[in-house]
Amino acid sequence: MAYKFKITRGNAIMNFSEEYCQSRCELIESDSFGKVLAKFVKDNARRDTTLYQYLHERNDDDVSLTHDLQYTLRLLLVMTDNMIIKSGSPYAKYFDQPKMFKRFVENLYTFWRKLQRYAVVLNREQSGGFQNVHFTSAQAAFEELVLKTYRSIEETALGNKNNVYRQITAGVNAGLVLTNFRTNLPYEYRCLDDIPFIEEVIIHPPFIAYSKRNKRDGVFPEINYNPIEDHKFDPEQWFCYPAKIGSLLAFVYFNVKFMAQGVALCNLFELANENEYRGRKPDLVYVYGYEDGEMNQAFYQDDKNNMLVALLSANDYFDYFGYMKKMCLTLHNVYQLNHGNLPIHGAMVRMKLHDDTVKNIVVMGDSGAGKSETIEQIKGLGAAYIEDVMTVYDDMGLLHIDDNGKVVSSGTEVGAFVRLDDLDAGYSFKELDRSVFLNPDQKNARVVIPITDWEDVVASHHVDLFLYANNYDAEGEPLEFFDNEEEALKVFRAGQRMAKGTTTEYGLVGSYFANPFGPVQRQEQTEPILRSYFDKMFAQGVKVGQLHTRLGIKGNEHTGPKDAAIAILKYLTGENELKKLSGDDSE
């Protein structure tokens, strides 16, 4: 990476390997600061702000104006505004209205903080700007430097004394340690060879990112040609996140214009280390944000190399984390179908009760069916009975057969991508120090939260209850079991739900086996696998039923999942009335 700094789609990317400022003067005089200042002037010119009009009256050439402002700020590191005026400096003209210059300083600082700011460093022996400073320490020092520089100018030079100090994140939102790695990809994928791999991610919470969209639409089609072969990639514009999706290895390449989507992956999929992918061909390859001017969003089965691959175009329509996550899971699911396993769009919770029994529950259903909401209610309401509870997976898992011929389940993700509205009040704030918030002030606001260790995700867990999350029926008991396989398959295969705005669908809709991420595209292949697993579950005594979460029925958004959770707990414990956890609530 030869660049020192770039701004693209609201992302400011600082290459600490090439430029690392360690003093206030270095910061103000740096090319990087000059680019931020130029972008700020351009933004104000575009909006024709009062501030821009004031500055433009003093210098009508934006390039020269940017240079003037940068030099003026450097002077303010050693002089006050009054000293500059008295010195007869040509830059004194910017202080004839002190309030306007103070507004310029404040607005520039706000403009900087509104950028999504990332530091990257290339892990190599020679590093011109970064030198031998540890990356984490370097980010902390940069944070302190930015605050010190801003406060020095604001307070000392302009006399704007503060009585309250807020130690906000003024440096970077996240840092990436990168490495140049020669992959073991087949010849057809050599166009990806020079793209650096992410070795380490450091997030500075709360990490809040915004995208052009806040919903995902439709399903990903399958095509009969390789969407990646013969394409060209500028390694300065791309990073690779080597992800462990369940037991599979995926190379996820993303355009730096969509940094938030790439960085948020670290809270969802385990980051593989070099020992896990060196000399190994990945099972899955995904390219997110390819600038082809198209609307491509398809996947391809590369039989020759035994890989599933996909490409998604760089387009505002796809600027949403759901397009990153769900394509990865589509590739995973098709791969598993090819190996005779059954992908499950659902959530699984493992509970150890106080009587030492372990109960594993799978709740299946499409987006917005109430899977995660019900499980969260189980955790809270069952505190008096549950010694330990673990979410094995929150959105996508699979059924497979263990060495003893038993149906078992494993997951794909170490994190959860959930709606803020569907979490208990205060939950997201309790997890503030670990969370990635996406469009938090908009409808369908989401948070990506790490929830489970990868070793627990990929372990084989027996299944006690296999339930369909029915969010659309007002009638019926909260928990009902099916008497036979055909009756169960009718409900599970239809995959119905009342869409609640998590995608672009509304009303009562359905998708085959409630899983538009593989089974829908491979329905003919999935059907015999589906029948085989339901045969085995009924034969092995797994209780198969449906859970009326009523999440899609107005007025039942919170009571529905709560009633469903109570029904499960009563079934597991044999109690008619649930006990509450005793304790002192006085203070």
Side-chain angles (χ1 to χ4, degrees):
M1 300 184 300
Y3 65 86
K4 296 178 181 179
F5 179 87
K6 68 167 69 175
I7 298 179
T8 176
R9 283 180 67 96
N11 299 312
I13 304 172
M14 292 160 276
N15 183 355
F16 279 8
S17 294
E18 296 296 327
E19 181 178 70
Y20 180 68
C21 300
Q22 300 187 63
S23 71
R24 294 175 305 156
C25 271
E26 280 185 22
L27 180 66
I28 294 296
E29 292 175 348
S30 68
D31 293 338
S32 301
F33 182 80
K35 288 179 180 179
V36 172
L37 194 51
K39 190 75 172 178
F40 171 78
V41 170
K42 184 177 180 181
D43 179 68
N44 277 267
R46 178 180 59 83
R47 295 183 291 117
D48 195 25
T49 63
T50 303
L51 175 61
Y52 177 73
Q53 293 171 14
Y54 165 77
L55 296 172
H56 189 67
E57 287 172 1
R58 283 140 189 82
N59 193 328
D60 59 6
D61 179 76
D62 285 356
V63 174
S64 178
L65 171 63
T66 301
H67 177 269
D68 277 5
L69 293 173
Q70 187 170 9
Y71 193 81
T72 302
L73 290 172
R74 195 185 82 167
L75 289 178
L76 288 171
L77 294 176
V78 293
M79 303 171 70
T80 66
D81 53 350
N82 288 329
M83 290 170 65
I84 294 174
I85 293 170
K86 291 177 180 178
S87 71
S89 167
Y91 302 105
K93 60 186 176 183
Y94 293 106
F95 299 101
D96 59 357
Q97 294 184 35
K99 285 187 177 180
M100 290 304 294
F101 194 86
K102 289 178 181 178
R103 182 191 294 186
F104 156 66
V105 172
E106 288 293 334
N107 288 6
L108 175 61
Y109 183 56
T110 300
F111 176 80
W112 164 250
R113 290 192 296 109
K114 283 186 177 180
L115 293 171
Q116 285 295 315
R117 307 176 305 279
Y118 304 92
V120 299
V121 61
L122 192 62
N123 191 4
R124 64 190 187 198
E125 291 184 3
Q126 305 84 17
S127 47
F130 184 65
Q131 297 173 353
N132 296 320
V133 184
H134 189 276
F135 191 40
T136 306
S137 302
Q139 290 177 70
F142 180 73
E143 171 95 24
E144 184 179 346
L145 177 63
V146 172
L147 281 170
K148 185 168 69 173
T149 304
Y150 162 68
R151 288 171 179 167
S152 173
I153 292 173
E154 184 196 38
E155 294 188 347
T156 305
L158 302 180
N160 227 18
K161 182 65 178 173
N162 292 311
N163 293 322
V164 178
Y165 293 90
R166 298 172 180 88
Q167 290 298 106
I168 59 177
T169 303
V172 299
N173 302 114
L176 305 178
V177 177
L178 308 171
T179 182
N180 285 328
F181 173 77
R182 178 62 65 175
T183 70
N184 203 40
L185 283 166
Y187 178 78
E188 296 91 329
Y189 303 88
R190 289 302 177 191
C191 55
L192 302 169
D193 268 355
D194 295 326
I195 295 174
F197 272 55
I198 296 174
E199 198 173 73
E200 184 179 321
V201 180
I202 302 167
I203 289 181
H204 300 264
F207 184 97
I208 301 172
Y210 287 87
S211 55
K212 299 294 184 182
R213 295 194 75 203
N214 64 348
K215 292 182 182 179
R216 183 192 51 78
D217 187 25
V219 299
F220 302 112
E222 184 172 4
I223 54 178
N224 60 5
Y225 61 90
N226 193 324
I228 298 174
E229 190 174 2
D230 297 329
H231 283 4
K232 294 182 179 179
F233 292 84
D234 178 1
E236 304 270 308
Q237 193 70 18
W238 292 85
F239 296 141
C240 177
Y241 184 95
K244 294 194 285 188
I245 304 178
S247 60
L248 303 184
L249 175 64
F251 287 174
V252 183
Y253 296 88
F254 63 92
N255 192 320
V256 297
K257 290 184 176 181
F258 302 95
M259 282 287 285
Q261 268 70 287
V263 170
L265 281 172
C266 71
N267 266 11
L268 191 70
F269 297 125
E270 184 82 355
L271 177 65
N273 62 55
E274 188 174 329
N275 293 332
E276 293 171 311
Y277 55 78
R278 178 172 289 282
R280 177 182 169 186
K281 175 177 65 64
D283 305 300
L284 318 171
V285 173
Y286 180 26
V287 170
Y288 178 93
Y290 188 75
E291 296 181 89
D292 52 12
E294 304 292 337
M295 292 280 289
N296 292 314
Q297 53 164 335
F299 70 92
Y300 167 72
Q301 181 169 310
D302 183 352
D303 289 320
K304 176 184 173 184
N305 296 300
N306 189 29
M307 298 194 320
L308 270 296
V309 301
L311 179 142
L312 187 133
S313 298
N315 191 291
D316 285 353
Y317 192 82
F318 302 138
D319 186 7
Y320 176 57
F321 187 68
Y323 285 97
M324 173 68 87
K325 166 188 164 81
K326 293 300 189 181
M327 180 65 92
C328 288
L329 293 174
T330 298
L331 297 179
H332 167 274
N333 291 350
V334 173
Y335 188 100
Q336 295 294 354
L337 286 171
N338 290 343
H339 290 78
N341 301 320
L342 183 63
I344 301 299
H345 190 190
M348 182 180 192
V349 64
R350 180 184 185 275
M351 295 188 300
K352 183 181 179 183
L353 306 182
H354 286 300
D355 62 5
D356 286 335
T357 60
V358 175
K359 298 295 183 181
N360 294 331
I361 305 167
V362 176
V363 183
M364 199 195 98
D366 207 341
S367 180
K371 308 179 295 288
S372 303
E373 296 82 357
T374 301
I375 285 176
E376 287 304 317
Q377 290 284 354
I378 289 173
K379 292 177 182 178
L381 295 169
Y385 302 91
I386 301 170
E387 179 182 319
D388 185 51
V389 61
M390 176 182 71
T391 301
V392 178
Y393 52 88
D394 179 78
D395 182 56
M396 198 72 68
L398 72 149
L399 296 181
H400 54 108
I401 307 299
D402 68 8
D403 294 338
N404 298 316
K406 293 286 188 179
V407 174
V408 292
S409 189
S410 303
T412 56
E413 305 150 295
V414 296
F417 175 53
V418 294
R419 282 168 40 105
L420 280 173
D421 289 349
D422 294 336
L423 294 172
D424 283 343
Y427 178 82
S428 58
F429 294 100
K430 293 173 188 174
E431 298 295 323
L432 193 70
D433 58 340
R434 303 194 306 154
S435 301
V436 171
F437 292 89
L438 305 174
N439 304 321
D441 58 344
Q442 300 176 14
K443 187 176 180 180
N444 199 37
R446 295 275 182 155
V447 60
V448 190
I449 309 172
I451 56 173
T452 312
D453 292 334
W454 180 78
E455 291 78 9
D456 294 319
V457 170
V458 297
S460 295
H461 304 272
H462 73 269
V463 180
D464 294 297
L465 301 181
F466 190 80
L467 307 172
Y468 185 81
N470 178 329
N471 78 339
Y472 52 90
D473 273 341
E475 305 299 323
E477 294 296 318
L479 177 63
E480 298 175 337
F481 293 112
F482 296 110
D483 295 326
N484 57 71
E485 174 192 343
E486 289 303 323
E487 188 179 297
L489 277 172
K490 184 179 179 182
V491 172
F492 280 86
R493 189 188 287 117
Q496 289 188 316
R497 67 183 169 105
M498 186 67 70
K500 51 179 293 188
T502 58
T503 66
T504 54
E505 299 172 307
Y506 288 92
L508 186 62
V509 296
S511 59
Y512 176 73
F513 197 49
N515 196 342
F517 312 107
V520 165
Q521 295 90 333
R522 294 288 186 91
Q523 188 168 334
E524 187 176 331
Q525 180 184 7
T526 304
E527 184 61 26
I529 299 174
L530 177 61
R531 281 192 166 275
S532 172
Y533 274 92
F534 271 70
D535 277 342
K536 288 182 172 64
M537 283 193 292
F538 273 89
Q540 294 174 9
V542 177
K543 298 294 290 183
V544 180
Q546 63 177 327
L547 201 59
H548 289 98
T549 69
R550 299 187 173 91
L551 194 68
I553 301 173
K554 191 172 182 179
N556 291 264
E557 292 87 352
H558 294 286
T559 58
K562 181 178 180 180
D563 291 343
I566 290 171
I568 288 178
L569 289 166
K570 285 182 177 180
Y571 173 79
L572 293 178
T573 62
E575 303 265 0
N576 291 323
E577 292 295 329
L578 295 178
K579 296 181 296 185
K580 290 187 177 180
L581 188 66
S582 61
D584 182 9
D585 298 325
S586 59
E587 293 183 353

